[in-house]
Amino acid sequence: MVVITHIVGGLGNQMFQYAVGRSLSVSTGQTLKLDLASMKKYTRREFSLQQFNIHADLARPHETPVTRSRGFLRRAFQLIQRQSPCQHIIEKAHTFDPTVMSLGGSLYFDGYWQSEKYFASIANTIRSDFSLAAPLSSGREAILSHIRTTNAVSVHVRRGDYVTNPSANATHGTIEPGWYEAAMQRMAERTDDPSFFVFSDDPAWAQQNLKSSWKMTFVEPQQDGRDGEDMHLMAACRNHITANSTFSWWGAWLNANPAKHVIAPLHWFRSPLHDDKDLIPAAWERV
C-alpha cells in the first residue's frame, strides 16, 4: 500500500501537498510517493521540493488514479489501474476536512490542502523534511548573518501572476502599500527596534511603494532556482508579515519559535468563493 500526493503549482503549494501526504504516510506506516505528471505540463513553475530533505519516491503511472490530465492515455491507464487501485481523495473545499485524517489503505491526494491542521501532529517532522538539502549560497549567507544581528521581521510582497494573470488576480488580488504600512506599524508597537527585511518577486515596486521610518533591507531575488533558500531566510527572522501567499506562509511557519509574532492579511482571497478560516494558524494575527 502507498500514499501518493498530486504535485502542482508553485513551491508553497507543493509543500502543502507534500505535507498532507507525509502526514498520512506517517500515521498509516505507508510509503509516500509524489505524482509529478502535472508538473511536466505546468509552465509557470517547476518542481522544487528537491531543494529540501524530503522523504518520498516518485509515483509510476500505473499507481495513480486516472485524472483529467491523462489525455489520450486515459483508457490505457484505466486498464492498468484495475490491477492496483488507489482511493482517489479529491479536496472538496479550502477548509480543513477532518475525515481525511482517519483514512487508510492506498490513498491518492488531489488538491491543495492549505491548512496546518493536516500535519500539525508531525510539525517537527515536516520542518525537518523542509530543511535545506544544500548550504546557502554565499550571497544569501551574508543576508542571514545580517538577519541574525538584528531584531528581524520578514515582509513578503507578492506580485507576479497576482498582477499579470486575470484568474489569479480575481482569486487572490494584491496587497496594497497601506496595508503593509499598517502591519509594520503594528509590528513595531510590539517589537523593539525592528529591522524589516523585504522579500518580493517585484523588488522595484516594493522599493517604490513601501515607505517606513524603520530600518528596511530589500532582499534582491535571485534567478537561480533556489527560492527555498529565500524562504529559509524569512524563517530565520524573529517575526513575520506575510502576503496572501503560500510562499510567505511557509516562511513564517518554518520558524519554530513559539514566541514569534506573525501578521497575515485579514482577507487571503479576493474571491468570496474561498473560505480561508483554516488556512491561517490560530496564533497568527490577522489585520
Side-chain angles (χ1 to χ4, degrees):
M1 293 191 292
V2 66
V3 174
I4 302 175
T5 187
H6 175 250
I7 301 294
V8 70
L11 179 58
N13 285 332
Q14 294 175 34
M15 293 169 73
F16 274 113
Q17 291 156 357
Y18 172 89
V20 68
R22 179 72 155 131
S23 180
L24 267 293
S25 73
V26 169
S27 65
T28 62
Q30 299 182 91
T31 299
L32 173 62
K33 295 190 177 184
L34 310 180
D35 178 9
L36 304 186
S38 292
M39 290 305 301
K40 297 176 182 178
K41 305 174 184 178
Y42 192 73
T43 58
R44 294 197 297 270
R45 297 285 192 274
E46 295 182 352
F47 176 68
S48 300
L49 295 180
Q50 75 280 1
Q51 300 177 75
F52 304 131
N53 291 303
I54 61 172
H55 296 269
D57 299 324
L58 297 184
R60 296 181 178 181
H62 72 273
E63 296 176 298
T64 64
V66 179
T67 69
R68 59 185 176 274
S69 64
R70 299 306 181 196
F72 69 92
L73 294 177
R74 184 180 182 86
R75 291 185 181 178
F77 278 110
Q78 285 175 328
L79 292 173
I80 296 172
Q81 193 193 1
R82 289 173 188 168
Q83 304 173 14
S84 180
C86 233
Q87 185 180 358
H88 191 176
I89 313 301
I90 301 176
E91 185 179 33
K92 298 181 180 68
H94 284 277
T95 51
F96 171 66
D97 181 358
T99 64
V100 167
M101 308 311 295
S102 60
L103 294 173
S106 291
L107 305 169
Y108 180 94
F109 288 96
D110 190 347
Y112 289 98
W113 316 104
Q114 294 176 354
S115 174
E116 72 163 350
K117 294 180 180 180
Y118 288 114
F119 50 88
S121 62
I122 60 164
N124 290 338
T125 297
I126 296 298
R127 288 191 172 99
S128 176
D129 287 4
F130 289 150
S131 61
L132 290 171
L136 288 174
S137 65
S138 59
R140 292 185 179 92
E141 189 65 50
I143 296 170
L144 178 60
S145 296
H146 186 192
I147 286 173
R148 287 174 171 168
T149 63
T150 67
N151 204 354
V153 179
S154 71
V155 179
H156 186 224
V157 179
R158 169 70 182 273
R159 302 278 293 169
D161 59 344
Y162 282 12
V163 177
T164 61
N165 185 307
S167 176
N169 183 269
T171 300
H172 293 278
T174 55
I175 306 298
E176 297 306 312
W179 183 86
Y180 283 104
E181 181 179 353
M184 287 189 286
Q185 175 63 46
R186 196 167 185 86
M187 188 67 77
E189 291 171 357
R190 54 186 306 160
T191 304
D192 293 332
D193 192 26
S195 289
F196 294 99
F197 288 79
V198 182
F199 299 80
S200 179
D201 55 3
D202 191 348
W205 186 94
Q207 291 189 47
Q208 183 177 357
N209 289 277
L210 267 60
K211 307 297 181 182
S212 172
S213 58
W214 298 286
K215 291 173 285 189
M216 299 182 71
T217 299
F218 291 87
V219 181
E220 196 70 24
Q222 305 297 316
Q223 304 302 319
D224 58 2
R226 300 170 68 173
D227 51 347
E229 296 184 17
D230 295 325
M231 184 182 287
H232 273 268
L233 290 179
M234 289 185 187
C237 295
R238 297 185 183 183
N239 301 293
H240 311 275
I241 296 173
T242 79
N244 54 340
S245 164
T246 56
F247 189 89
S248 49
W249 189 101
W250 282 104
W253 190 88
L254 289 176
N255 177 357
N257 184 355
K260 69 185 177 185
H261 186 61
V262 182
I263 295 178
L266 180 62
H267 300 291
W268 195 268
F269 297 105
R270 170 178 285 178
S271 170
L273 300 176
H274 301 288
D275 188 339
D276 62 4
K277 67 178 182 180
D278 293 325
L279 198 157
I280 305 301
W284 296 10
E285 180 181 8
R286 305 193 72 169
V287 174

